[in-house]
Amino acid sequence: MSPYKKSLITPFKLVVIAFIVLLLANCSALEPIETPTVEQSNPLAIQAQEALSQQQFSRAAMLFKQLAKNSQAPLKNQYLISAIEAYFNAGDLTNADSLIDSLLTPSSQLTSDNKLSLATLLLEQGKAEDAISVLMSVSELNLNNEQRIDLHTLTSSAFFQAGNLIESARERIILDALIDEPTSKLNNQLDLVNVLSLLSEHALRALLPTADNNMAGWVDLAIIKKQQVTFIPNSSDVESWKQQYPTHAANGSFLLTMAKQSQENFIAPNKVGVFLPSQGPFSQAAFSVRKGITAAAYSMANKWPLNIHFYDTSSTPIETLYQQAISDGVNIIIGPLDKKNLSKIALLPDLPIPVIGLNKNGSHHSPHYVEFSLSPEEDITQILSFAWLKGHQKALILTPQSNSGERLAGHFSSLWQKLGGQVLDVQTYEANQADYSTAIKSLLQIDDSVYRFKQLRQRLNLNIKFEERRRHDADFIFLLASPREGRLIKPQLRFHRAADIAVFSTSKIYEGEQNKGANRDLDDVFFCDMPWLIEPNKQQNGSLNQALKQWPNTRGLHRRLTAFGYDAYQLIPHLEHLKSNHFARLDGKTGILSMNNNVINRQLSCGQFQRGQVKSLGLAPHLERTMNMQSVVPSPQHTEHVNTAPL
């Protein structure tokens, strides 16, 4: 294994560790698990294969277990791995996890091939840390070169899912020495630079003092890439890099390939139209979005000349504005912001001008329509993945007594149970109160403890000393709350003896500004939010921070909307690359941006309140399994007109 890995690094322990966006091309293209070859003379094996072909997965799993019972290692273990896969396909997580536990014991006698197959399956189920443990136990002494490539590709993927981009990049460096085929080697090198580029510049520079010359060369190249809008191979920075690393693997044609790729991926249109209202309920939000668009345009003016035309959606029908934009020679449109106008855009038979809609709109299927939103459901999916990766299983939910609170709690509950976790209880509270003890005591079942005490005292007729007790079957609380509510609820949880239960929340709990005094009451709460708000002082955030000095009263949600507008504009020249390459990424203010089915996904950053300040924990985990899940939504009468954007 890698000489860099002295021991398994627990995620979130190092500031420089960042969390996964999605697996890159070579990381996620994992080989399917090989089912043991059917023995023509073994009826059970034939029946198991037939059950799989008929999608009778539970029956197939039982047959594979019987085959394993009658076999010796390593064939026994391969049959058990096939049974695990069948249980997962059947949705039977309990039996699958039980078999996984049996294989992770030292007595299981797993071969290297067994371990690679098991690790592949574990990664597909989001069990990254278990996969890392398995992969690190593989001895390379008897592996051929192809097996070594498989091992380090899997290990790179596992570190991605576990959130350790640094170790994942180091695995890519090992792969660079193992891969001989030119195209595969080039793709691995590009992936290596791209994964390092997802780290902040501060995190990259922190690696340099302890990095060897090879690693340092890749890190310095990633820093240069982050500092340039498009990579320029003959720039003074690159020339200095060439002199510093004359024998480096990237010093040669690779730099020209990087530059060519960078140029091809930056397609800037001539004229941009923006559809936003100047009046009405969305006007203040629109003004904040407009500020962000303006800031981004000025920051990119050296590479992309300004040519923006703003259209007022509050005074003219959206259909008329769209036709006007065509007449004006607009090449792409940002907006509209509200769902009513977005639904009208969706009714247009064709979109000769591409549109970046700034809200949820699942009804438009034009290839020229891109959806970009600040979806609270997306926040929940990522904080859920964060809690799962930290090993939590049993959840309590505390949510406001409102349509949106109950909807989001339902979204969390549905996905958490599909992931394999348990939701033990859901409790609602009335917002804008000072005392939330009734809801908290109910959630923690403290009232049951008090009731038992009263019954015992009455029966014994004695003055018994009593100390209230809470439930002990839950290992974390998912809290939906505003900053005000959170600052009241968290201390009350401590008062009711729940200080040792982890609390996870969404970006809603954070105002977006450092407020050390007020935020002390939120200490220990985990949440995920825009990278710009988690680490506002990163060097690449300077342009947006400078622009906001012109609008010092931009606070709370409007800070997020300004970053939202900034990203909507800087997305434009990268749209084609994001659309054509599922693994392409853009380092945005609202998150690491990617595209899937014409929907922009935002990879958030996670943080924790410590002594009133937000400590960055890096990028949120983005487990492939949670991204492919759909929550079970409430009945249609409750959701038909739900606005999922925070406007």
Side-chain angles (χ1 to χ4, degrees):
M1 292 298 296
S2 167
Y4 296 99
K5 296 188 289 296
K6 302 295 185 182
S7 61
L8 177 59
I9 299 176
T10 303
F12 318 116
K13 292 295 181 71
L14 303 175
V15 174
V16 296
I17 289 182
F19 285 84
I20 184 171
V21 180
L22 282 174
L23 302 181
L24 297 181
N26 290 338
C27 296
S28 64
L30 304 178
E31 293 295 327
I33 293 174
E34 293 184 8
T35 303
T37 304
V38 177
E39 298 177 41
Q40 297 300 324
S41 61
N42 191 327
L44 281 180
I46 296 172
Q47 291 175 42
Q49 294 291 353
E50 289 176 348
L52 284 179
S53 65
Q54 296 169 9
Q55 297 188 351
Q56 298 175 357
F57 298 117
S58 294
R59 181 169 177 267
M62 293 299 297
L63 291 168
F64 279 127
K65 285 176 66 178
Q66 291 181 48
L67 286 163
K69 187 176 181 181
N70 299 327
S71 304
Q72 299 295 320
L75 183 59
K76 172 184 177 179
N77 293 328
Q78 196 62 44
Y79 278 133
L80 288 176
I81 292 169
S82 295
I84 293 169
E85 185 178 27
Y87 274 132
F88 275 132
N89 287 331
D92 189 344
L93 302 179
T94 301
N95 277 317
D97 288 340
S98 177
L99 287 183
I100 288 172
D101 290 341
S102 70
L103 285 177
L104 293 179
T105 61
S107 61
S108 62
Q109 298 179 330
L110 293 171
T111 65
S112 295
D113 284 339
N114 289 155
K115 290 177 179 179
L116 293 177
S117 295
L118 180 58
T120 300
L121 186 55
L122 290 170
L123 284 176
E124 290 173 354
Q125 297 302 320
K127 296 178 178 292
E129 291 198 18
D130 285 340
I132 291 171
S133 296
V134 170
L135 291 166
M136 290 185 68
S137 69
V138 175
S139 172
E140 294 191 54
L141 292 177
N142 297 318
L143 298 183
N144 59 37
N145 195 64
E146 184 177 349
Q147 289 173 316
R148 287 190 174 95
I149 290 173
D150 290 341
L151 171 63
H152 291 288
T153 300
L154 278 170
T155 308
S156 179
S157 299
F159 277 120
F160 259 108
Q161 281 208 32
N164 194 334
L165 299 186
I166 297 168
E167 290 300 328
S168 182
R170 284 174 169 152
E171 291 296 316
R172 288 282 164 194
I173 291 175
I174 296 172
L175 283 167
D176 187 50
L178 293 172
I179 298 173
D180 294 323
E181 199 279 318
T183 302
S184 298
K185 193 177 189 71
L186 175 62
N187 288 335
N188 179 69
Q189 290 174 339
L190 289 170
D191 287 345
L192 169 55
V193 175
N194 287 335
V195 76
L196 286 172
S197 298
L198 295 178
L199 292 163
S200 70
E201 189 172 329
H202 174 76
L204 288 170
R205 293 193 183 281
L207 291 173
L208 290 173
T210 57
D212 61 25
N213 189 69
N214 190 26
M215 180 70 169
W218 291 112
V219 170
D220 276 333
L221 194 59
I223 291 173
I224 294 171
K225 183 177 183 288
K226 289 180 72 70
Q227 293 174 339
Q228 298 181 353
V229 176
T230 56
F231 185 75
I232 305 171
N234 58 354
S235 66
S236 59
D237 288 337
V238 176
E239 290 299 328
S240 297
W241 181 90
K242 289 179 182 179
Q243 294 177 15
Q244 186 174 355
Y245 303 101
T247 61
H248 196 275
N251 195 343
S253 60
F254 175 75
L255 297 176
L256 297 177
T257 302
M258 269 188 68
K260 181 181 178 182
Q261 184 187 74
S262 179
Q263 292 290 338
E264 291 175 348
N265 295 340
F266 191 92
I267 305 173
N270 179 50
K271 191 171 187 178
V272 178
V274 181
F275 286 7
L276 291 173
S278 64
Q279 302 175 33
F282 291 93
S283 59
Q284 289 187 344
F287 181 62
S288 296
V289 172
R290 179 170 178 158
K291 289 188 292 188
I293 291 172
T294 304
Y298 277 102
S299 72
M300 302 174 73
N302 290 337
K303 177 69 178 178
W304 179 16
L306 277 74
N307 192 359
I308 306 175
H309 192 109
F310 289 90
Y311 298 84
D312 187 0
T313 60
S314 60
S315 60
T316 308
I318 198 74
E319 300 88 345
T320 304
L321 289 179
Y322 192 84
Q323 292 302 317
Q324 183 62 49
I326 294 175
S327 300
D328 293 340
V330 168
N331 304 112
I332 192 167
I333 293 168
I334 299 175
L337 185 62
D338 62 295
K339 286 196 166 184
K340 182 178 178 181
N341 275 321
L342 280 172
S343 65
K344 291 179 180 178
I345 287 284
L347 294 175
L348 295 176
D350 192 16
L351 291 177
I353 305 176
V355 172
I356 302 177
L358 301 180
N359 210 323
K360 284 287 186 182
N361 177 35
S363 61
H364 206 295
H365 303 290
S366 168
H368 295 152
Y369 183 90
V370 174
E371 179 184 294
F372 186 32
S373 70
L374 300 181
S375 166
E377 280 81 1
E378 192 172 32
D379 284 19
I380 286 174
T381 299
Q382 295 183 56
I383 194 66
L384 174 152
S385 298
F386 187 16
W388 180 258
L389 197 64
K390 288 180 74 66
H392 295 292
Q393 293 279 340
K394 299 177 181 180
L396 298 173
I397 300 176
L398 188 57
T399 183
Q401 202 172 76
S402 64
N403 289 337
S404 63
E406 292 175 13
R407 185 189 83 244
L408 295 176
H411 181 77
F412 177 93
S413 178
S414 175
L415 291 188
W416 187 251
Q417 292 177 82
K418 285 187 175 184
L419 195 60
Q422 298 179 50
V423 176
L424 302 180
D425 198 3
V426 180
Q427 182 64 46
T428 61
Y429 63 86
E430 291 187 18
N432 301 318
Q433 304 294 311
D435 184 1
Y436 296 94
S437 60
T438 300
I440 290 172
K441 289 167 74 173
S442 178
L443 185 70
L444 299 176
Q445 295 183 347
I446 290 175
D447 290 337
D448 294 349
S449 170
V450 175
Y451 176 76
R452 289 193 298 271
F453 160 69
K454 289 181 178 179
Q455 290 287 97
L456 185 62
R457 183 176 61 181
Q458 184 177 4
R459 289 176 183 176
L460 299 178
N461 195 26
L462 295 173
N463 186 19
I464 303 172
K465 185 178 180 181
F466 172 69
E467 186 176 283
E468 66 178 25
R469 298 179 181 273
R470 65 165 178 84
R471 66 191 304 164
H472 288 277
D473 54 348
D475 52 31
F476 80 103
I477 295 172
F478 175 59
L479 172 64
L480 281 164
S482 68
R484 176 195 173 276
E485 292 159 353
R487 289 168 185 150
L488 291 169
I489 289 173
K490 188 60 170 68
Q492 290 178 45
L493 285 170
R494 286 195 291 269
F495 177 79
H496 290 294
R497 306 181 186 281
D500 58 337
I501 300 182
V503 177
F504 293 78
S505 190
T506 67
S507 60
K508 184 181 178 183
I509 204 167
Y510 182 43
E511 286 178 326
E513 297 179 76
Q514 296 287 358
N515 188 340
K516 190 173 181 179
N519 288 337
R520 277 188 176 274
D521 287 330
L522 293 172
D523 274 0
D524 300 325
V525 173
F526 295 101
F527 70 104
C528 297
D529 205 339
M530 296 179 179
W532 171 58
L533 296 178
I534 296 290
E535 295 185 79
N537 297 321
K538 288 199 306 184
Q539 184 172 340
Q540 54 265 47
N541 290 329
S543 58
L544 183 54
N545 292 339
Q546 191 66 31
L548 278 179
K549 290 181 179 179
Q550 301 178 42
W551 304 291
N553 294 323
T554 303
R555 300 185 180 280
L557 172 61
H558 290 279
R559 292 175 66 82
R560 292 183 169 87
L561 289 169
T562 302
F564 183 47
Y566 193 103
D567 276 356
Y569 185 84
Q570 74 163 345
L571 264 172
I572 292 173
H574 301 280
L575 281 178
E576 288 304 314
H577 178 52
L578 292 171
K579 185 181 295 186
S580 62
N581 185 347
H582 179 65
F583 304 97
R585 302 290 178 267
L586 177 64
D587 192 358
K589 309 303 177 188
T590 63
I592 303 293
L593 307 178
S594 60
M595 188 187 301
N596 187 24
N597 296 324
N598 276 33
V599 176
I600 299 297
N601 298 311
R602 299 181 303 118
Q603 186 62 39
L604 305 177
S605 287
C606 289
Q608 183 185 31
F609 290 101
Q610 295 184 5
R611 297 184 179 180
Q613 295 182 314
V614 175
K615 178 184 178 182
S616 172
L617 301 175
L619 288 174
H622 210 169
L623 303 182
E624 191 79 24
R625 187 175 166 202
T626 60
M627 294 308 301
N628 293 330
M629 289 180 181
Q630 295 292 327
S631 67
V632 179
V633 297
S635 56
Q637 63 264 31
H638 293 109
T639 61
E640 186 176 358
H641 300 294
V642 165
N643 186 343
T644 59
L647 301 178

